[in-house]
Amino acid sequence: DKTNNTLPTMSAASFSSCIRGAPVIARRDARAIRRTVARIPMVTRANADIMSEVGTAVLTDGQLQGERYVASNRFRLQAGKGPTFEKRWAERKSRLANLDGFRFFTLMRRVEGMGGPPKPADADEEYDYVSLTIWEDKSGFDAWRSGEAFKEAHGGGTIFGFVEMLVSSMMVLKGGPKPAFYDGLLPVVKPPPEDTPWKAVGGWRDVKADGVNPLDTDVYVAMNRFKVLTGKEEAFEQRWAERESKLEGMDGFLTFLLLRRDALKAEDGYNYSTLTVWRSKEDFQAWRESSANSAAHSKAGEAEPMFDGPPSPVMYEGVLALLSEKGA
C-alpha cells in the first residue's frame, strides 16, 4: 500500500488530533507546534505520495531488463542555502549502507560544465541538488521504503520529527522536492579502490559540516538526458547495448548505468538518461578527450531519428558518497 509509506497530508486541525493522542506533551510545546503547523501550507495528496510513479512504466517484450533500481529526489534551493542543505544531510539519521541490496548513494550538487546546446527560454529551471541511491534491484528499494529505516531518515517516524523536517525544508527549499525513479540498464561497474574513503559507521558517513562551507567533493557525476520518441524505446536501448565502450579501462571510472524512467510519463519529458560516476572532474575530462570516447560515439550520427530535441547534459559534484563493497 503506497500511501502507508508517504508523508501524510496534514493540516493544523488534523495535527491537533495527533497531539491529543500523544502520550505526554507539555501544553506550551504543543501550542508552539500547532502554531508552526498552521503556518505550513497543506501538503496535497499529489505531492505527498512521493512513491506514486514507482512500478508504473509499461515495457514491451523487446526492452531490456533492469539490473539495478535507482531512486532520486530533486531539489531547488533558496539562494545561498547550499551549505545549510548539505549540513542537514550530513547530520541526518540513516543506516542506508547497512541495508540489503544497497549499492551506492551520493548527494549531487549541480555544477556548470561541458556545455551542450542552449536551453529554450521557457525551459524549466534546473534542480540544484539531487539525492541518488542505486539498489541492487527493486526489492531492496521496496524493503527500504516500507521499513523503519525510511522513517528514521524522514523525521524519525514521529510527528515532531515530521514537523521539524517540514519547517527546516521551508527555510531552505524553493518549492517541494521532486522524486524520479529509474530502472538501471547495462551496468558497468569497477570495484572500489582500496583507498576508497566512503566507509560508513552504522550505515552513514561521519562527515563534519558547518553549514557555511560546501562539503568536499567525493565523486564527479555526468548525466546526459534524452527525450526518446514513443515507439523508439526498444531501438534506443538496443543501440546502447551494441555500442563499444572502454570505460572500464579509464583511470578514475567507477560506474555507468543507462537509466530508464519508471513512470507512465516523465513530467520533464526525459524518459532516459546516462549516469556515469568518476572519481574526479579531471578523470571525466580525460575520458572526454580520449580516443575511447570518440570510438563510443562514432556511429551516433548514423542512426534514425529517435529524440524529441537534442540530449541535455548536466554535471554534478557528489558529496557524502557511500559505496558497497561490490561497487555500484
Side-chain angles (χ1 to χ4, degrees):
D1 180 0
K2 293 174 183 174
T3 58
N4 288 338
N5 306 315
T6 60
L7 300 179
T9 301
M10 180 75 56
S11 66
S14 61
F15 181 77
S16 295
S17 64
C18 293
I19 290 293
R20 288 195 296 271
V24 178
I25 302 175
R27 291 182 180 178
R28 181 177 57 189
D29 293 342
R31 286 196 298 270
I33 294 174
R34 283 194 196 97
R35 288 195 297 269
T36 299
V37 173
R39 294 194 296 269
I40 299 174
M42 182 177 289
V43 181
T44 65
R45 174 78 42 197
N47 288 333
D49 192 3
I50 60 174
M51 305 294 180
S52 59
E53 73 176 41
V54 174
T56 60
V58 178
L59 306 178
T60 66
D61 292 339
Q63 289 185 258
L64 299 176
Q65 292 296 309
E67 298 181 64
R68 299 285 190 275
Y69 199 76
V70 179
S72 71
N73 215 0
R74 298 161 292 172
F75 306 87
R76 294 189 179 103
L77 267 59
Q78 299 176 29
K81 295 295 185 178
T84 302
F85 184 69
E86 293 177 15
K87 183 175 188 291
R88 191 174 75 181
W89 277 83
E91 296 178 349
R92 73 194 310 226
K93 295 180 180 179
S94 178
R95 45 193 167 101
L96 182 64
N98 290 349
L99 300 179
D100 290 341
F102 168 81
R103 298 297 291 258
F104 178 74
F105 168 85
T106 189
L107 178 64
M108 306 194 304
R109 175 174 62 210
R110 184 174 57 84
V111 294
E112 300 297 332
M114 305 310 155
K119 287 205 161 192
D122 60 350
D124 289 340
E125 178 186 1
E126 290 283 7
Y127 293 93
D128 301 300
Y129 283 81
V130 179
S131 65
L132 181 101
T133 310
I134 300 176
W135 297 90
E136 200 158 296
D137 54 38
K138 191 170 175 291
S139 65
F141 168 75
D142 286 337
W144 167 77
R145 69 176 174 125
S146 61
E148 292 299 315
F150 177 88
K151 298 175 184 177
E152 291 172 5
H154 295 82
T158 68
I159 192 64
F160 297 101
F162 171 67
V163 171
E164 182 181 1
M165 184 181 69
L166 282 180
V167 173
S168 175
S169 296
M170 286 178 63
M171 300 176 66
V172 174
L173 299 183
K174 185 165 60 175
K178 198 77 173 176
F181 305 94
Y182 305 88
D183 290 320
L185 314 176
L186 305 171
V188 181
V189 178
K190 222 175 184 180
E194 292 294 330
D195 61 345
T196 296
W198 319 319
K199 303 298 182 183
V201 178
W204 193 245
R205 290 274 300 282
D206 181 15
V207 176
K208 301 302 180 185
D210 59 15
V212 177
N213 300 294
L215 296 177
D216 291 342
T217 301
D218 293 318
V219 292
Y220 191 78
V221 182
M223 299 183 71
N224 205 10
R225 301 165 297 184
F226 302 88
K227 296 180 180 180
V228 177
L229 295 170
T230 301
K232 298 295 185 181
E233 296 90 349
E234 285 188 24
F236 177 74
E237 292 177 17
Q238 193 60 35
R239 182 197 296 184
W240 279 90
E242 294 174 351
R243 76 197 303 248
E244 297 180 16
S245 175
K246 298 181 180 179
L247 283 171
E248 286 182 278
M250 298 300 299
D251 289 340
F253 168 77
L254 293 173
T255 299
F256 169 85
L257 283 173
L258 176 64
L259 304 182
R260 177 179 62 210
R261 188 72 176 267
D262 185 13
L264 283 173
K265 183 176 177 60
E267 90 291 339
D268 57 4
Y270 295 117
N271 50 354
Y272 286 87
S273 176
T274 58
L275 171 76
T276 314
V277 183
W278 299 85
R279 283 296 297 265
S280 69
K281 180 179 179 180
E282 290 72 25
D283 290 326
F284 169 69
Q285 289 178 323
W287 171 78
R288 288 188 80 236
E289 296 167 1
S290 70
S291 58
N293 178 41
S294 300
H297 293 85
S298 61
K299 298 181 180 179
E302 300 175 10
E304 61 180 299
M306 294 185 179
F307 311 120
D308 179 13
S312 176
V314 60
M315 310 295 157
Y316 301 94
E317 294 172 340
V319 302
L320 298 173
L322 287 167
L323 188 66
S324 77
E325 294 182 356
K326 300 177 183 178

